[in-house]
Every structure is written in structure tokens, then in C-alpha cells.
Amino acid sequence: MLYDLIIIGGGPAGITAGIYAVRQKLNTLLITKSFGGQVARKAVAIENYPGFEAISGLELIQKFEKQLRKQKVDIERDLVVKIKKIGKKFIVFTESKQQFQSKAVIVASGADPRPLEVLGEKKFIGRGVSYCTVCDQALFGDKTVAVIGGGNAGFEAAIALANYAKKIYILEYAPKVGADQINQERVKKTGKVEVITNAALKQIKGNQFVNSIIYQDRKTKKNITFPLEGVFVEIGSIPATGFVKGLVDFNEKDEIKINPRNNQTKTPGLFAAGDVTEVKQKQIVIAAGEGAKAVLAAYDYLQKQK
Ligand SMILES: Cc1cc2nc3c(=O)[nH]c(=O)nc-3n(C[C@H](O)[C@H](O)[C@H](O)COP(=O)(O)OP(=O)(O)OC[C@H]3O[C@@H](n4cnc5c(N)ncnc54)[C@H](O)[C@@H]3O)c2cc1C
């Protein structure tokens, strides 16, 4: 079967694209490895999505997904591993060895958490090392944990963890944290969080589970070990673009370059939207808007192909 449009991604950009595509009467397939994307990782309430004064990430994305599933759109839960363009047709290959064909594609695959790349990190994933505070915070009741990263995501993770953990350290590599003032005040109010700046994490240690970390104080160059049970990684994200190499150009951050007017990449018929692109602001409302824009541009492209 030849679809008009294949959308890759089940976050705000992909889901919005799906809803818009059906309204344009495009015969559409949405492929995603999971629903929710980064919104599902949000540890504290979302307070900047219009229509909701405060809503949990999980609840918001469930509402998105429910609306999508009411539409006439095919959905595949799978990981896209490659896209090829042969003539005017796109062929999309997935991890489970399926192939799908379409006349246009929208890449809305967002971003994955950036790994620390320190000793012990991979070994202890799921055994003390977490990339999703909202998923794992309840496992750390009365425990000591570290959050790596002093931006908003790190501070919000610490605020959420304060409902469970006994003591939380925020380790920031730079001399100053980057979190907004409001998050810094909220962290202070918990009375459980200590912020350590100039800290370069070196190693995560343990037996079966994490039992300590070693970091270097970048001022004194001394290595410091302290015992703890959990390490929450909040140092940003990397665009999920491995499957689209060769068909698009990237900027220095590995984000897909697009024409900002119509989300078109360098390959005709291949569009991109949301956090996977070079669009500067990485926000739910913006990703959703970009998803809508990309579909309307894909619709114009398909009309011209007729
Ligand atoms: C901790 C945290 C807190 C945040 N807080 C806020 C906030 O309060 N307000 C706000 O507006 N924004 C917030 N953001 C930013 C917001 O979540 C993102 O801007 C938004 O989710 C981007 O949407 P997206 O659809 O572009 O990508 P994503 O949300 O990353 O979704 C990408 C989707 O693509 C899928 N995917 C990836 N690769 C593949 C593949 N190869 N094959 C198939 N599917 C694939 C993923 O499973 C996922 O469903 C936060 C982000 C984080 C990490």
C-alpha cells in the first residue's frame, strides 16, 4: 500500500501532524517507538501549555494520543531504522523488518536523553542510573541520590525527587547553575537539596546496584567519592536522526536543517518538525505548531505532484 504520508514520532509534533493530516484527508501512517516523547519524562506539572493551568506530562500526552486515535490514521508501534527515496517514493524500514511506502514523510522523532558517557553508566542503567525521573522517582524513597545537570530539567527532577528521596545532590559541571530563578527557589524550599558546582562526574560505582559516585572538583582537581543509591541524568538531549542520514543536512548540533517557512528538508517530499529540527525553541506548544505546519506544507507538495 502506498500512503500519502508517513509521520515518524509520537510526541507533540508527530501527534499534531497526525491530527492535521487526517483533516487534509491524507491517507496517513504514524510510526512511533512509543507515545509521549519527552513530555512523558516531565517530572513536575506543565504550566505553559494553553488550556491547562497545570497538568502532568503523562496526562497531557494521553489526551493528545486519545484525540489522535479517534482519527482515521494507521498507527504502528515500531522503531524506524532507515528511509530511502526511490524516484518519488519513500520507503521506510523498521526495526521489526517491516517496510512502508509513501509519497511524503514527516520526521518528528524528537530527541533522546544525552548520556553521561562515564564509567559505570551503561552497567547500572535500571539499577540506579535513570534518565526518567517521573518513571523512577518512587523507587528511591528515603534514599540518597544525585541529579547530574543544573539546568531546569535537573532542578525540576530534584523538586520531584524531594517527595521521595532523603537527600539530593545536584551536580553541575559549570561554575554556575542554569536553572530559572523560580526553580532555584523551589529547590531551596525542599530543604533536601545540595547544589555542587564545578563538578565533573567521573565514575558510577556499585555491585549489583549503584552505591557511590566519583566526581572531580574542577577547581581543586581533587576526586571526591560519596555514597548514594541513585543517579538521575539530566544533561540535555540529542536529536534522534540516525535513520535519516544522507537525505537531510544537519547543523552543528546534529539537528535537521529545514526551510523555516514550510519545514521542507533538502529532499523534496521529506519534511521535519519539532525538537529534531534546528527550530530554536524546544517546547510542546512549538513542536505541536511545527507538526501542523509540516502537514500543511506536505499537503501542498502532494497537490503539486498530482
Ligand atoms: C524533562 C523535560 C521537561 C520539559 N518540560 C517542558 C515544559 O514544561 N513545557 C514545554 O513546553 N516543554 C517542555 N519540554 C520540552 C518538550 O517536551 C519538547 O519540546 C517536546 O516534547 C518536543 O516534541 P517532539 O514531538 O518534537 O519530540 P519528542 O517529544 O521527543 O517525541 C519524539 C517521538 O518520536 C519517537 N521516535 C524517536 N525516534 C524514533 C524512531 N527512530 N522511530 C520511531 N519513533 C521514534 C519517540 O518515541 C517519541 O514518541 C520538556 C522536556 C524535557 C526533557
Side-chain angles (χ1 to χ4, degrees):
M1 149 130 155
L2 179 65
Y3 285 98
D4 291 325
L5 179 65
I6 292 179
I7 298 164
I8 300 162
I15 293 178
T16 309
I19 293 166
Y20 268 71
V22 175
R23 296 176 70 79
Q24 294 304 106
K25 297 221 178 296
L26 298 178
N27 181 16
T28 303
L29 168 68
L30 184 144
I31 310 175
T32 188
K33 67 176 173 188
S34 66
F35 275 102
Q38 296 168 72
V39 182
R41 289 177 48 219
K42 171 87 175 163
V44 298
I46 290 162
E47 295 170 345
N48 57 4
Y49 193 79
F52 302 94
E53 278 175 35
I55 184 165
S56 80
L58 222 52
E59 209 183 330
L60 180 63
I61 209 71
Q62 278 166 358
K63 286 182 186 289
F64 276 37
E65 186 184 342
K66 193 171 161 202
Q67 189 174 353
L68 174 75
R69 287 188 184 277
K70 282 195 176 153
Q71 320 286 325
K72 222 174 146 286
V73 51
D74 288 348
I75 295 172
E76 281 288 334
R77 288 287 290 265
D78 210 339
L79 183 79
V80 172
V81 291
K82 185 140 198 70
I83 305 178
K84 274 188 189 162
K85 189 174 185 195
I86 299 172
K88 286 191 171 174
K89 217 164 52 180
F90 290 93
I91 308 175
V92 176
F93 300 82
T94 70
E95 191 180 44
S96 68
K97 307 263 181 276
Q98 298 194 82
Q99 284 183 25
F100 301 97
Q101 300 189 359
S102 65
K103 297 178 203 164
V105 170
I106 295 176
V107 176
S109 48
D112 294 320
R114 184 178 292 281
L116 297 163
E117 286 170 5
V118 298
L119 269 174
E121 177 183 20
K122 279 199 184 129
K123 181 174 172 194
F124 292 110
I125 291 174
R127 292 191 279 149
V129 172
S130 169
Y131 302 88
C132 180
T133 306
V134 73
C135 319
D136 298 331
Q137 57 191 1
L139 304 171
F140 291 84
D142 223 24
K143 299 213 155 70
T144 298
V145 300
V147 175
I148 315 300
N152 280 325
F155 270 65
E156 289 184 3
I159 294 162
L161 281 162
N163 294 319
Y164 299 91
K166 179 171 68 186
K167 173 86 193 172
I168 302 139
Y169 295 94
I170 296 178
L171 264 64
E172 167 57 49
Y173 184 85
K176 265 169 78 177
V177 298
D180 292 346
Q181 204 55 40
I182 188 160
N183 278 331
Q184 294 194 38
E185 280 161 22
R186 284 175 181 166
V187 153
K188 218 179 206 170
K189 263 195 203 146
T190 68
K192 289 182 170 183
V193 183
E194 194 175 315
V195 179
I196 305 172
T197 55
N198 278 313
L201 187 68
K202 293 284 173 202
Q203 191 174 354
I204 300 168
K205 295 178 77 174
N207 294 316
Q208 217 188 331
F209 295 96
V210 169
N211 63 20
S212 61
I213 57 170
I214 302 174
Y215 75 89
Q216 185 186 59
D217 181 324
R218 292 175 60 230
K219 266 187 169 168
T220 62
K221 304 278 179 241
K222 270 194 185 147
N223 279 348
I224 297 161
T225 303
F226 62 75
L228 44 66
E229 284 102 351
V231 178
F232 288 81
V233 183
E234 295 288 357
I235 57 164
S237 45
I238 28 179
T241 56
F243 58 90
V244 84
K245 293 212 159 82
L247 291 175
V248 300
D249 286 331
F250 297 102
N251 69 7
E252 66 293 343
K253 292 184 192 158
D254 269 340
E255 296 164 338
I256 298 175
K257 285 189 173 183
I258 52 167
N259 176 342
R261 278 181 55 239
N262 61 7
N263 296 64
Q264 173 70 62
T265 67
K266 76 168 183 187
T267 300
L270 182 61
F271 300 81
D275 281 18
V276 76
T277 71
E278 60 184 341
V279 163
K280 195 172 164 211
Q281 296 83 3
K282 311 295 194 215
Q283 291 285 284
I284 301 164
V285 72
I286 291 168
E290 289 288 307
K293 248 174 80 202
V295 167
L296 298 176
Y299 177 77
D300 285 347
Y301 166 83
L302 290 168
Q303 290 299 103
K304 281 182 194 144
Q305 299 300 302
K306 277 185 181 164

